[in-house]
Amino acid sequence: MAGTQKSLGKGSPSPGPVPDGSIRVYSMRFCPFAQRARLVLAAKGINHELVNINLKNKPEWFVEKNPFGAVPVLETSKGQLIYESAIVCEYLDEAFPGKKLNPKDPFQRAQQKMILEHFSKIIMVLYKILPAKQNKEDITGLKSEVQEKLIALDKLLGKLNSSFFGGDSVSMIDYLIWPWFERFILFDVKECLNKTSQLNEWYQRMLRDTAVKATFTEPDLHQAFIKLYFKDSVDAADYGL
């Protein structure tokens, strides 16, 4: 899997300045929000240094990088800090050369942001499923809610009449929503794709994307991580290393 460096925890010294010509991304191997940034870095071929953070056992200095204590965080050679995944991704697209992932047209950019808002509602339901599964609660209703929202997203993709959400090639919106599809097995909703033919075809296309391949984590690793995570294990972040 991508990002195999062991994570930094309490007591770890803070990394030094970011070298000129590079950028540092503070990440965590299993975090979907951090994967958003890694997807964009890979898609644009941006030279970067990866520093994994143990979110269950954060280094004391990490709050200076992001007061929310979350990943991803970007740090530039000028000491500039950027956090919040969608903001990080937009910055990377604007600040670095190469293929532009955000559309130039203002309406198309707005359209992608509206799609992201639709998908954000799905994320909220997915994160209700994990603790419910852990507590051995009935998740039938939550899975039905996910299915309903995915069917709406499937219809939206159908209306766009394109291979991806931004057109005939992968763009920013595809990378912003992909990490949760990669983790559908965790939420026990993978079979929902059987009822959303457009999304299922999109899913298969995304699996062939070079940036997705570069950041992909196998389902068994995701599942092993989440088991340790719910046990509050400080070793969860480095599972498999």
Side-chain angles (χ1 to χ4, degrees):
M1 68 176 286
T4 53
Q5 294 91 338
K6 287 211 168 185
S7 57
L8 301 184
K10 284 182 181 175
S12 300
S14 176
V18 178
D20 286 340
S22 185
I23 192 165
R24 180 179 295 147
V25 56
Y26 297 94
S27 181
M28 195 277 272
R29 293 165 62 224
F30 298 99
C31 174
F33 294 99
Q35 188 183 2
R36 282 176 164 176
R38 297 202 314 274
L39 282 162
V40 172
L41 287 161
K44 292 179 69 74
I46 297 170
N47 179 39
H48 66 282
E49 172 192 354
L50 187 70
V51 175
N52 283 318
I53 299 296
N54 191 328
L55 298 178
K56 286 282 189 185
N57 188 39
K58 297 170 194 170
E60 293 80 357
W61 48 262
F62 186 60
V63 71
E64 297 170 13
K65 308 295 183 186
N66 180 358
F68 299 126
V71 293
V73 180
L74 290 184
E75 186 171 11
T76 72
S77 58
K78 296 178 182 178
Q80 299 163 322
L81 294 162
I82 304 104
Y83 48 84
E84 292 299 306
S85 61
I87 298 171
V88 165
C89 291
E90 188 168 353
Y91 169 83
L92 288 171
D93 198 40
E94 291 181 355
F96 289 86
K99 176 188 176 184
K100 290 301 178 186
L101 298 172
N102 270 318
K104 291 181 180 178
D105 179 72
F107 173 72
Q108 290 179 343
R109 282 203 307 273
Q111 191 175 46
Q112 291 208 5
K113 289 179 180 179
M114 289 187 289
I115 292 169
L116 184 59
E117 284 300 309
H118 277 281
F119 190 72
S120 296
K121 305 297 189 294
I122 298 174
I123 294 174
M124 291 169 63
V125 184
L126 291 175
Y127 282 123
K128 291 178 183 177
I129 289 176
L130 283 179
K133 281 183 65 178
Q134 185 69 16
N135 296 329
K136 294 182 168 49
E137 297 170 8
D138 182 13
I139 61 170
T140 306
L142 291 171
K143 286 176 69 172
S144 295
E145 191 175 347
V146 170
Q147 182 74 81
E148 180 185 332
K149 292 181 185 302
L150 285 174
I151 287 171
L153 193 65
D154 187 70
K155 289 178 180 176
L156 181 57
L157 181 56
K159 285 180 182 177
L160 292 172
N161 195 29
S162 57
S163 298
F164 300 95
F165 279 96
D168 292 326
S169 60
V170 182
S171 63
M172 184 65 79
I173 182 61
D174 300 292
Y175 288 136
L176 290 178
I177 69 177
W178 169 257
W180 286 269
F181 281 88
E182 183 176 308
R183 290 159 177 78
F184 266 14
I185 195 166
L186 278 186
F187 305 105
D188 205 15
V189 296
K190 182 76 182 294
E191 71 273 15
C192 289
L193 291 176
N194 297 335
K195 296 182 180 179
T196 53
S197 59
Q198 306 280 349
L199 274 180
N200 193 32
E201 289 176 13
W202 170 86
Y203 176 86
Q204 299 303 328
R205 292 187 196 102
M206 288 297 289
L207 285 172
R208 297 191 291 270
D209 179 75
T210 53
V212 168
K213 287 179 179 178
T215 65
F216 188 80
T217 299
E218 294 297 333
D220 59 333
L221 288 179
H222 278 306
Q223 289 180 311
F225 158 75
I226 209 69
K227 285 179 183 176
L228 288 174
Y229 183 85
F230 275 114
K231 291 177 181 176
D232 283 328
S233 170
V234 295
D235 297 322
D238 289 332
Y239 178 82
L241 297 183

